[in-house]
Amino acid sequence: MSAEPHACSLPVVEQGARAAEFRALAASALVDRDRDDGAVRLSFRDEPSVREAVEDLARRERECCSFLDFRVEQRDGRVTLAIGARPRDRAALDPFYELAG
């Protein structure tokens, strides 16, 4: 097995629009974000429209970044998108954390 990190399969022409969606969602509903070596957690207000948007983005990200683990959790009055990565793919977490900043 190769030690090369995996890459997103989303066409380059669509990556800017997807990034803009993440930024817009973060700007309107992000409550907190944190990161450790293997995961990024983005916590949003727990509202039906926000949860739907988070679940939709997670579903679409699973399609193009199947090497990452996208989980949507609802607890403590928040909707959290947890994105996990294996050691060789951890650099792929950087954009998610930065887009939410």
Side-chain angles (χ1 to χ4, degrees), residues 24-101:
L25 181 59
S28 68
L30 188 72
V31 175
D32 192 20
R33 69 182 177 144
D34 68 73
R35 179 174 185 171
D36 59 33
D37 285 342
V40 166
R41 282 167 291 286
L42 307 174
S43 296
F44 300 90
R45 287 191 319 272
D46 187 4
E47 298 173 2
S49 62
V50 172
R51 182 174 176 90
E52 288 175 17
V54 171
E55 288 177 341
D56 180 57
L57 279 170
R59 179 188 53 77
R60 289 184 288 139
E61 284 299 309
R62 284 184 200 107
E63 293 172 2
C64 62
C65 295
S66 61
F67 58 95
L68 295 175
D69 179 32
F70 293 88
R71 295 182 194 190
V72 178
E73 304 164 349
Q74 186 174 11
R75 65 179 165 201
D76 301 327
R78 296 180 179 187
V79 174
T80 299
L81 175 59
I83 309 163
R86 293 183 185 105
R88 75 175 185 178
D89 296 317
R90 288 183 178 160
L93 297 174
D94 294 342
F96 294 102
Y97 188 79
E98 292 164 8
L99 283 171

Side-chain angles (χ1 to χ4, degrees), residues 4-37:
E4 291 293 316
H6 294 96
C8 177
S9 65
L10 188 68
V12 173
V13 297
E14 296 177 30
Q15 289 178 8
R18 181 74 53 88
E21 284 184 68
F22 266 103
R23 278 193 299 274
L25 181 59
S28 68
L30 188 72
V31 175
D32 192 20
R33 69 182 177 144
D34 68 73
R35 179 174 185 171
D36 59 33
D37 285 342

